[in-house]
């Protein structure tokens, strides 16, 4: 099976060309190699040819669904991991909206306060230079936490959830109120969107071992994450997806993450996954049709060894 979601838009033409070739070959093989000239017009032969063409068309349909550019909204997208995921998704041709406490401060030349998420002007300029900067937009929202202010600029942020394919939740706050407030805000905005609500809601959280490294009150934070996952599934039902991941390798050095801290020693990294595989898992969760009732652990896929991961460290 093809992991079509990881291919960039420029490669889609090649993908469809290969799919069409496969359809022609499959039909040709059914007609010419599995039938003789004597029975080529018999009903059984026509049935086999028809079945082959249906399989080929089904394959083409899957390719079309998997390669379509997605519209994604990231809650917590200014954090280390959230911004890295948003960047990779935009590189692959998907449109990304990042919900943040203050869109102006998020792209300022230097960080004003640790209380506000920050991506930085230089990084945004690099995105523009690489040709995908216009795929990423920043939007103020009033769903974050107690630091949210009330102003006219923040009114109507709920519109950013209308007609999008998925909301990806990467909020780094591990406190109970810091996680329940944004979840409730997203749920409210989704209800207001009605038929235009997002098709998928993806919640990303660290495994328990990573949370234990946060020090005091780790047990309470683990309990909060589990409660949030249960609420996520109860609120969003079959549209909800819960992913868990260990240490994320391949993050840029400046992409510090409270949820997924960088390892000090790769020999003692524990549960891990490379950023490339995590991006694939998130995109798959944003577009798949089947959902697991339990949180899904994202495991190494294309990069399966620490040595291979070292070769792709940012």
């Amino acid at each position: 099976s093809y992991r079509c979601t990881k291919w960039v838009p420029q490669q889609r033409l090649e993908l469809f060309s290969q799919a069409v070739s496969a359809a022609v070959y499959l039909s040709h093989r059914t007609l010419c190699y599995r039938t003789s000239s004597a029975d080529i017009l018999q009903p059984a032969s026509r049935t086999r040819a028809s079945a082959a063409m249906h399989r080929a068309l089904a394959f083409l349909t899957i390719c079309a669904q998997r390669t379509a550019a997605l519209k994604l909204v990231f809650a917590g997208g200014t954090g280390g991991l959230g911004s890295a995921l948003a960047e990779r998704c935009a590189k692959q041709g998907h449109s990304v909206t990042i919900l943040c406490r203050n869109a102006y401060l998020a792209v300022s030349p230097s960080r004003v306060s640790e209380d506000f998420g920050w991506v930085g002007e230089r990084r945004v300029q690099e995105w523009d230079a690489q040709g995908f900067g216009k795929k990423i937009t920043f939007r103020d929202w009033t769903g974050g936490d107690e630091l949210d202010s009330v102003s006219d600029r923040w009114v109507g942020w709920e519109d950013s959830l209308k007609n999008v394919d998925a909301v990806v939740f990467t909020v780094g706050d591990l406190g109970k109120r810091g996680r329940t407030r944004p979840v409730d805000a997203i749920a409210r905005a989704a209800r207001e969107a009605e038929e235009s609500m997002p098709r998928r809601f993806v919640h990303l959280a660290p495994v328990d071992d990573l949370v234990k490294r946060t020090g005091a009150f780790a047990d309470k934070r683990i309990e909060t994450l589990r409660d949030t996952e249960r609420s996520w599934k109860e609120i969003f039902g079959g549209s909800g997806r819960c992913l868990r991941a260990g240490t994320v390798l391949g993050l840029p050095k400046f992409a510090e993450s409270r949820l997924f801290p960088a390892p000090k020693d790769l020999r003692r990294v524990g549960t891990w996954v490379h950023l490339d595989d995590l991006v694939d898992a998130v995109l798959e969760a944003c577009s798949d049709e089947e959902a697991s009732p339990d949180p899904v652990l994202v495991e190494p896929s294309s990069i399966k060894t620490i040595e291979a991961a070292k070769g792709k460290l940012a």
Side-chain angles (χ1 to χ4, degrees), residues 2 7-22 59-60 63 67:
Y2 289 89
W7 295 4
V8 296
Q10 290 81 354
Q11 293 171 310
R12 289 177 188 158
L13 184 59
E14 180 182 353
L15 171 65
F16 280 105
S17 176
Q18 292 174 352
V20 171
S21 298
F59 175 70
L60 283 170
C63 290
T67 56

Side-chain angles (χ1 to χ4, degrees), residues 261-281:
K264 296 181 179 179
D265 188 351
L266 288 178
R267 293 172 299 180
R268 301 178 181 178
V269 69
T271 304
W272 66 277
V273 67
H274 193 274
L275 179 61
D276 288 354
D277 290 335
L278 183 58
V279 171
D280 289 344

Side-chain angles (χ1 to χ4, degrees), residues 119-137:
V119 173
E121 182 183 52
R122 181 176 178 181
R123 193 173 176 191
V124 173
Q125 290 174 345
E126 290 176 354
W127 292 346
D128 290 335
Q130 295 178 47
F132 62 89
K134 292 183 179 179
K135 291 283 185 181
I136 303 177
T137 58

Side-chain angles (χ1 to χ4, degrees), residues 22-312:
V24 173
Y25 170 77
L26 189 56
S27 299
H28 182 266
R29 180 179 177 84
T30 301
L31 286 172
C32 298
Y33 292 94
R34 294 185 180 179
T35 62
S36 65
S37 58
D39 67 354
I40 195 166
L41 296 179
Q42 297 300 315
S45 299
R46 292 198 299 269
T47 299
R48 287 197 295 271
S50 177
M53 184 56 73
H54 279 298
R55 289 194 294 271
L57 290 176
F59 175 70
L60 283 170
T61 301
I62 293 173
C63 290
Q65 293 173 344
R66 291 288 182 89
T67 56
L70 300 174
K71 293 182 179 180
L72 307 174
V73 173
F74 277 80
T78 55
L81 181 62
S83 62
L85 289 172
E87 176 181 321
R88 292 295 186 95
C89 290
K91 271 186 178 180
Q92 295 185 23
H94 306 292
S95 298
V96 174
T97 298
I98 294 177
L99 300 178
C100 50
R101 292 170 179 162
N102 190 300
Y104 176 78
L105 295 180
V107 297
S108 59
S110 58
R111 190 163 197 165
V112 176
S113 170
E114 292 293 330
D115 293 330
F116 293 90
W118 183 68
V119 173
E121 182 183 52
R122 181 176 178 181
R123 193 173 176 191
V124 173
Q125 290 174 345
E126 290 176 354
W127 292 346
D128 290 335
Q130 295 178 47
F132 62 89
K134 292 183 179 179
K135 291 283 185 181
I136 303 177
T137 58
F138 293 82
R139 184 73 171 90
D140 292 331
W141 74 316
T142 53
D145 51 33
E146 292 83 357
L147 291 171
D148 289 335
S149 60
V150 178
S151 69
D152 292 339
R153 288 194 311 122
W154 299 58
V155 174
W157 70 268
E158 295 88 350
D159 290 341
S160 60
L161 265 64
K162 292 183 178 180
N163 299 310
V164 303
D165 292 290
V167 174
V168 183
F169 190 88
T170 59
V171 172
D173 197 326
L174 293 175
K176 186 172 183 179
R177 184 171 173 79
R179 292 194 80 79
T180 56
R181 282 196 64 183
V183 171
D184 292 341
I186 291 172
R188 185 184 67 251
R191 287 193 300 269
E192 292 176 356
E194 297 180 343
E195 287 118 10
S196 301
M197 69 181 294
R199 297 187 303 109
R200 299 287 179 269
F201 299 85
V202 181
H203 181 277
L204 180 61
V207 295
D208 291 351
D209 288 342
L210 279 185
V211 182
K212 291 177 181 178
R213 299 179 192 175
T214 61
F217 307 108
D219 291 339
K220 289 186 177 180
R221 295 188 177 109
I222 291 173
E223 183 180 353
T224 296
L225 285 175
R226 290 175 179 171
D227 289 342
T228 305
E229 287 173 336
R230 284 193 292 269
S231 298
W232 193 266
K233 295 295 290 186
E234 290 174 0
I235 293 172
F236 301 114
S239 299
R241 307 288 187 271
C242 291
L243 302 179
R244 284 196 177 191
T247 300
V248 180
L249 303 182
L251 285 174
K253 293 182 179 179
F254 54 80
E256 298 180 0
S257 175
R258 286 188 292 176
L259 284 182
F260 300 88
K264 296 181 179 179
D265 188 351
L266 288 178
R267 293 172 299 180
R268 301 178 181 178
V269 69
T271 304
W272 66 277
V273 67
H274 193 274
L275 179 61
D276 288 354
D277 290 335
L278 183 58
V279 171
D280 289 344
V282 169
L283 288 175
E284 185 175 344
C286 290
S287 57
D288 68 348
E289 296 299 328
E290 297 182 0
S292 169
D294 301 315
V296 176
L297 177 65
V298 181
E299 298 179 306
S301 177
S302 62
I303 302 175
K304 298 183 178 181
T305 65
I306 292 290
E307 292 302 320
K310 288 180 180 179
K312 297 201 69 175

